[in-house]
Every structure is written in structure tokens, then in C-alpha cells.
Amino acid sequence: MSDRARFVRIVVILFVALMAMTFVSLSLGSTRVDPSRVFQEGSVDAVIVFDIRLPRTLAAIMAGAAFSVAGLLIQTASSNALASPNIIGVNSGAGFAVLVFLSFFPQLYRLLPLAAFVGALVAVSLVFLISSATRRMTSSSSLILSGIAVNALFNALISTLASLDPDVMGTYSAFSVGGFASVGMDQLAPAAIIMAGCLVAVLPLAHVMDIVRLSDEIASSLGYRPQRIRIILMALACLMAASAVSFAGLLGFVGLIVPHVASFLCPGGSRRTLTLSLLAGPVLVLVADFLGRMVMRPSELPAGVFMAMVGVPFFIFLLTRRSRS
């Protein structure tokens, strides 16, 4: 089977899986619904499906796609396969900015994605400043350790703010893990616009990402400015991840796992990896959210709990494989 045929087959499989998980997410949950009453206006079943499950399902799809693409962009821009939004502090920086906004400007909730972007940009700037101070900005150990330090800093600031503001403390627990239990359509609209704009900007850069992956020397010889490209990719990654954080909380490890899985399923250029990530990310997050609703029903676990259960062993596996190579 040719590479193209294999790629098309995997795309079809992932698309079918996404449609199936979307249907399952809308149909099943902690409360059973009567299909015959779903489209009856004002019925309890209609409220459950359209006012609770539909926004939750759309949020999981958007967050999966955004974190996956952000992870791919960060790994490309940093030349580091271990980098992801939650590991290098992007999520925690965005999360801190979101909580600050919720504390002091709750009426401006539509600006949450913008505030999250500013927080993410500050966090990633600190990571690269600390890493570059060692004169080894793209090395694995320097970047990851700098990210862990910045991540710890912003997590401490988040905990401090949450303990000082009782109103924020009420939502901090679910926010810090990551989940979709209380997501509404009004939260998704601003983030969706930003994500769509980022995707439009990323798609033409796919071939440039392949060149940047090779080396700065090759990129420069072909007329590109690698440092400028890396900055653009990192800024787009921050926008994508921050938009998702504004409604999904600090959902981790999606941006680490999915690009690796996409690359493993069909090795090739960044365009293929990007396409597969856009499909595999939502499937993974939908599965995590569905398991969170079903395992302990009528109670539920946040999707971030299941992502951590998968993500931590996966990160250890990557570290082990990297050290052996």
C-alpha cells in the first residue's frame, strides 16, 4: 500500500471514529434520555442534549484539536519532541491570566481567550529567556527544566489567587485538572473564532515547518528566516492553547501525545501530521470526557484525570526512549 493510500485510510478511520464518539457523547451520559423526546421543545431530554451535552461535546472537540495543533507547533518551533503546552508552562500561564480575569473582570468573559493568550505568551517568553541564558535554547534538558520551573511558578500563583478569592476557589479544582462539566455555548464562540483564524494561518506554513525541522542552516540557505518562523509558530501555538484553556481549564498531555501518535500512524511531512492531529486530538479528548462521565456515574471525573493517567506514562516512555537513543 502506498503512503498516500495509507494516509487516506487513516484519515477515514479517524473521521469515522470522531463521528462515532460525537454521537456517543451526545447520546450517553450519567442521565438516560428518551430519543423520542429529544426534539420536543422544552422537554428535559432536549435540555440535557442541546444545553448540556452539545456544548460539552463541541468543547471537547475544539480543545482536542487546539491542544494537538499547539503541541505540534511547539515541538517544531523548539526542535524538541518532549515539549507541549502543559509541560513548558503555556497552559499554566494562560490559566493564571484566566483566573485573574475571572476575579477582577468577570463581566468581560468574552475577552478570556485574549487574556489567556497574554498569559501564555508571558509564560513561554520566560521559558525561552531562562533556557537561552544557558546558551542551549533548543536542548531538551534546558527547555524542559525551564518549562517545569515556569510551570511551577504559575501554578503557585494560581493556587495563591484561588485561596484569596473564594469565588474563584469554587471553580479552581475542576479548572486546574481540566474538564468540560460547566461549559456553555457563550464561552465557545470567541475561542472558536480565534482557533479558526490560527488554523487558516498554520496550514500555509506546513511546508516551512518541514524545512525548519531540518536545520536553521538549510532554512536560511533556502531564503527563510528560521528564528522569525519559530516565533510565529510559537505565537500561533500560544493562541491555540490559550483559547482552549479559557473554557477547558489546564487540560494536559494532549499536545504531547497526539503529534507523536499522528507521526507514528503515518510518517511524513508536517501537513499530514497536522491533518491527523486535528482528527486524533478530538477523538482522544472525547474518549477521556466520556470515560469521566461513565466510570463513576452519577458522579463524574474530569477529563484531565484520564489524560494524566495516559500522559504521564507516555512522557516517561519518551524520556526513556530519548535517553537510550
Side-chain angles (χ1 to χ4, degrees):
M1 181 181 295
S2 65
D3 287 344
R4 180 175 178 81
R6 180 184 179 185
F7 171 70
V8 172
R9 185 178 70 173
I10 294 173
V11 167
V12 171
I13 292 173
L14 287 176
F15 180 77
V16 171
L18 176 58
M19 293 298 99
M21 282 308 306
T22 300
F23 176 77
V24 168
S25 180
L26 291 173
S27 304
L28 302 177
S30 57
T31 303
R32 293 183 178 180
V33 296
D34 183 355
S36 63
R37 295 174 56 84
V38 168
F39 295 99
Q40 292 182 8
E41 186 176 356
S43 67
V44 175
D45 301 271
V47 171
I48 291 174
V49 172
F50 292 105
D51 293 348
I52 299 176
R53 290 183 185 174
L54 180 59
R56 183 170 188 157
T57 300
L58 292 176
I61 293 172
M62 289 169 56
F67 283 128
S68 300
V69 173
L72 177 61
L73 295 179
I74 290 173
Q75 289 169 13
T76 302
S78 63
S79 300
N80 193 319
L82 297 176
S84 70
N86 66 299
I87 291 175
I88 69 168
V90 173
N91 283 11
S92 57
F96 175 68
V98 166
L99 288 185
V100 168
F101 236 63
L102 290 175
S103 295
F104 299 102
F105 312 103
Q107 69 278 10
L108 301 177
Y109 65 92
R110 292 187 181 275
L111 296 179
L112 280 181
L114 180 60
F117 169 68
V118 173
L121 198 60
V122 170
V124 79
S125 298
L126 285 174
V127 169
F128 277 99
L129 281 174
I130 297 171
S131 184
S132 62
T134 66
R135 300 186 183 277
R136 297 172 61 196
M137 186 173 70
T138 60
S139 72
S140 172
S141 59
S142 177
L143 187 71
I144 297 301
L145 290 175
S146 301
I148 290 173
V150 172
N151 203 35
L153 170 64
F154 278 105
N155 280 330
L157 292 175
I158 289 173
S159 299
T160 302
L161 181 62
S163 63
L164 293 176
D165 190 338
D167 294 331
V168 172
M169 191 64 182
T171 59
Y172 168 67
S173 179
F175 182 85
S176 63
V177 178
F180 311 99
S182 58
V183 175
M185 284 294 193
D186 56 342
Q187 296 174 270
L188 299 181
I193 295 172
I194 293 175
M195 290 177 187
C198 289
L199 285 177
V200 170
V202 167
L203 291 175
L205 295 175
H207 72 287
V208 182
M209 292 166 62
D210 291 330
I211 297 173
V212 170
R213 282 178 179 271
L214 298 175
S215 70
D216 288 356
E217 290 76 13
I218 294 177
S220 299
S221 67
L222 294 175
Y224 296 101
R225 296 183 179 181
Q227 290 303 321
R228 177 177 294 182
I229 294 171
R230 293 179 191 278
I231 292 173
I232 293 173
L233 294 178
M234 192 63 74
L236 289 172
C238 287
L239 264 175
M240 293 287 285
S243 299
V245 168
S246 67
F247 62 81
L250 306 184
L251 186 67
F253 295 105
V254 181
L256 175 69
I257 297 172
V258 174
H260 286 278
V261 172
S263 180
F264 172 77
L265 289 175
C266 189
S270 296
R271 190 178 299 276
R272 289 186 176 184
T273 306
L274 180 62
T275 302
L276 296 181
S277 297
L278 281 170
L279 293 170
V283 172
L284 177 63
V285 177
L286 280 171
V287 170
D289 183 56
F290 177 71
L291 289 175
R293 283 188 279 170
M294 300 301 291
V295 168
M296 297 182 63
R297 61 177 183 178
S299 301
E300 66 176 64
L301 289 173
V305 173
F306 289 93
M307 289 308 311
M309 290 179 180
V310 176
V312 171
F314 189 83
F315 183 67
I316 295 172
F317 165 74
L318 290 178
L319 280 176
T320 304
R321 190 179 67 172
R322 197 177 182 90
S323 63
R324 287 177 179 174
S325 62

